[in-house]
Amino acid sequence: MKGQDSSLALSVIGAGHVGLVTAACLAHAGHHLVVVENDPGRLEMLRQHPTRMPIHEPGLAEMVERVMRAGPGSLRFTDRIPDAVADSEAAFICVGTPQGERGEANLYYVERVAAEAADALVENGRPDFVLIEKSTVPVRTGEAVRRTVERVLARRGRPDLRFEVVSNPEFLSEGTALKDFLFPDRIVAGVESPRGEVLLRRIYEPVLSGRFDWTGTRPSKHPVLLVTDVQSAELIKHASNSFLALKISYINAMANVCERSGADVREVARGMGLDPRIGPSFLRAGVGFGGYCFPKDVAAFRRLSEELGYRFDLLGQILEINDGQRRLAVEKLRKALWNLRGKTVAVWGLTFKPETEDLRGSPSLEIIGRLLDEGARVRAYDPAAGPLPNGLEERVARAASAAECAHGADAIVLVTEWPEFLGLTDEELKAVQARMNYPVFLDGRNAFDPARLRSLGFEYLGIGVR
Ligand code: UGA
């Protein structure tokens, strides 16, 4: 792909999950990328061992290796925004937007990048630069970025330097981020002028036309490039994440109704999902959503709507139902074991979903915290998770396997549906059951067939299942 006339010089500011995936995929698609990272440790790691990624994302290290092998200049790392501005036509802003005290997104890093980029535009006398928001930001951040850059340009006597702000939200899921980037359903481009649209079309041309090779299934349909104004693009991201979270909370609320009415939420979800207007995805009931995105984004959107003068109470309910699912898991264990105090609970799965080592917002951590508060002993096993945060590591015994974790326990609670758990054979599960003190199995993801576990001797409990 390299050396084609269509390749562009681009930069990515922030070598986090989104930044690294964006940079690797765009370099793989034939562009030349400069990545700016201001954390010295992370930068050193990327410079010295570019293929040893600071984040866990399947395929990313291989892709970076391939890009690096294809030729010098495809992908390089720096800590200087001025280098990025000098050597590229457009910069993707991929810095973090952590959650503030009242749920709002903290845009300090976005503002700082905008101001530094503006300084660099002045120093390079660079017109027509494009700043592309990729981080999840509240609606109207584009306007704020524009104002920040304009102020710096005015202060430094170069108000004549034209630039454009584009919103190009990411829709990457952890664990499938490469596929999500290279084979998306849609690419959203919120632009200020036709120039922004032309640039985004050029950047994504290899993705839009599917003109590159990478492992994995190539969908038959080409993605849609949706061009909108900046605010609408920003809102599409909020609206999409909140709607997906809503689907999960809706089916979890249904699970509660199912439990009280004798129905089975898996059947209800199947029946709902067959209606193409609803669709089957994100209707898996369980202990609720976690991760860095949904809990933070829904809270930020709620806060933002309030600031805009609209009380979007539905968003609050999404979060309340989600919290309730964690409490429900503990209640179910309490009901099954009578007293939790002094009981040993084996927790299967710590990460917020399978195929990641990310513990942020993980339902497991909340459930473990509650179990410990009630005096239970907790033993946990996860195939990928590192040390637990918030002082939990010292309070939780870590096992080396699912079977060891359950040995002598009074209950198992499955919180993350890792394939390793789902792949256990009847013999292996039977052996697990035989070595438990009480064979209570709380399936927090409705991942197992209840009849199968019951036939193996477990006291099976699901979420809204019979
Ligand atoms: C999510 C979105 O799916 C991406 O489209 C978006 O780009 C990303 O956030 C982001 O804003 O950056 P991610 O947080 O990686 O991606 O994870 P998901 O696969 O969406 O799962 C989120 C949580 O929902 C997990 O805890 C999962 O177990 C839970 N979930 C998902 C359910 O409880 N039920 C379901 O039916 C589906």
Side-chain angles (χ1 to χ4, degrees):
M1 301 288 308
K2 295 283 171 307
Q4 295 187 4
D5 297 332
S6 54
S7 50
L8 293 166
L10 302 168
S11 52
V12 162
I13 302 174
H17 206 114
V18 172
L20 284 172
V21 170
T22 302
C25 289
L26 290 177
H28 174 70
H31 300 306
H32 297 274
L33 269 292
V34 183
V35 179
V36 185
E37 172 57 48
N38 67 359
D39 177 300
R42 187 170 270 234
L43 177 66
E44 203 44 32
M45 179 174 180
L46 289 167
R47 274 183 168 158
Q48 298 297 327
H49 314 282
T51 56
R52 234 194 279 151
M53 287 288 116
I55 54 162
H56 176 82
E57 184 58 50
L60 182 60
E62 291 86 327
M63 182 178 272
V64 169
E65 189 169 15
R66 225 158 106 170
V67 165
M68 297 289 219
R69 244 191 293 124
S74 307
L75 181 60
R76 67 188 177 84
F77 301 94
T78 172
D79 57 354
R80 287 175 36 82
I81 289 182
D83 290 354
V85 170
D87 295 345
S88 68
E89 292 189 35
F92 286 88
I93 303 177
C94 299
V95 293
T97 52
Q99 193 165 5
E101 272 164 23
R102 287 159 294 134
E104 80 287 3
N106 176 346
L107 298 177
Y108 170 76
Y109 301 105
V110 177
E111 182 183 359
R112 224 178 59 186
V113 165
E116 273 187 55
D119 272 323
L121 293 181
V122 174
E123 267 138 43
N124 286 280
R126 192 152 189 350
D128 295 324
F129 195 75
V130 181
L131 283 164
I132 308 173
E133 298 171 348
K134 196 101 180 118
S135 306
T136 302
V137 290
V139 62
R140 307 186 83 162
T141 299
E143 269 175 52
V145 167
R146 164 157 290 286
R147 266 200 315 276
T148 303
V149 175
E150 277 171 355
R151 270 194 206 129
V152 174
L153 297 184
R155 178 165 47 77
R156 300 201 50 185
R158 291 302 309 268
D160 57 303
L161 283 180
R162 280 183 317 172
F163 66 95
E164 168 133 1
V165 179
V166 168
S167 165
N168 171 223
E170 56 88 12
F171 301 106
L172 311 176
S173 292
E174 284 185 31
T176 56
L178 298 190
K179 178 182 123 310
D180 297 339
F181 193 100
L182 296 171
F183 309 112
D185 300 310
R186 83 302 208 182
I187 295 169
V188 175
V191 300
E192 292 179 327
S193 77
R195 202 183 110 66
E197 175 180 347
V198 169
L199 182 80
L200 268 269
R201 278 194 190 281
R202 286 180 65 202
I203 293 174
Y204 284 105
E205 193 281 324
V207 174
L208 289 167
S209 62
R211 172 174 76 71
F212 55 81
D213 57 326
W214 186 248
T215 50
T217 336
R218 185 184 294 268
S220 48
K221 279 197 305 192
H222 287 310
V224 173
L225 176 77
L226 177 70
V227 180
T228 68
D229 56 275
V230 175
Q231 287 91 329
S232 301
E234 290 170 335
L235 262 182
I236 287 169
K237 173 70 189 186
H238 290 304
S240 303
N241 270 10
S242 295
F243 193 80
L244 291 172
L246 170 71
K247 278 187 97 175
I248 300 170
S249 278
Y250 188 89
I251 203 66
N252 280 331
M254 279 309 304
N256 283 290
V257 177
C258 286
E259 294 209 343
R260 287 158 177 80
S261 59
D264 188 316
V265 74
R266 292 166 310 162
E267 297 301 324
V268 175
R270 204 167 297 145
M272 287 169 65
L274 284 169
D275 183 335
R277 293 171 303 176
I278 298 174
S281 58
F282 280 69
L283 287 181
R284 278 179 291 116
V287 291
F289 56 79
Y292 188 57
C293 302
F294 285 172
K296 171 175 87 78
D297 290 357
V298 176
F301 190 23
R302 182 188 185 196
R303 178 83 206 154
L304 176 73
S305 309
E306 232 170 75
E307 277 169 17
L308 292 170
Y310 179 70
R311 277 186 43 171
F312 205 154
D313 289 337
L314 181 61
L315 299 175
Q317 300 236 318
I318 295 174
L319 296 172
E320 267 169 44
I321 292 171
N322 202 47
D323 287 346
Q325 294 308 102
R326 275 68 149 153
R327 285 196 300 275
L328 177 70
V330 177
E331 272 160 33
K332 279 175 178 277
L333 287 171
R334 197 186 301 116
K335 213 162 145 194
L337 298 176
W338 190 15
N339 289 301
L340 285 171
R341 193 161 164 204
K343 302 276 167 46
T344 299
V345 179
V347 176
W348 282 9
L350 293 166
T351 54
F352 82 96
K353 65 176 188 179
E355 309 301 349
T356 172
E357 47 189 20
D358 201 343
L359 289 166
R360 290 176 299 180
S362 172
S364 222
L365 302 185
E366 280 178 57
I367 291 170
I368 290 174
R370 286 173 187 275
L371 290 171
L372 291 170
D373 286 348
E374 298 216 18
R377 283 188 292 267
V378 174
R379 205 183 303 138
Y381 169 68
D382 187 282
L388 303 180
N390 311 331
L392 283 180
E393 185 65 17
E394 293 72 48
R395 303 176 67 200
V396 172
R398 296 287 289 271
S401 68
E404 183 191 309
C405 183
H407 190 180
D410 297 293
I412 293 172
V413 52
L414 178 137
V415 187
T416 320
E417 67 280 33
W418 280 97
E420 183 178 324
F421 304 141
L422 306 186
L424 289 170
T425 61
D426 283 0
E427 289 67 39
E428 287 165 331
L429 284 167
K430 185 79 206 134
V432 165
Q433 189 271 354
R435 293 166 78 191
M436 290 178 74
N437 193 30
Y438 295 138
V440 172
F441 191 107
L442 172 57
D443 184 354
R445 295 291 179 184
N446 292 345
F448 279 95
D449 173 10
R452 176 176 171 225
L453 287 208
R454 284 180 187 133
S455 75
L456 293 170
F458 286 100
E459 188 183 320
Y460 179 90
L461 305 167
I463 308 285
V465 302
R466 270 199 293 211

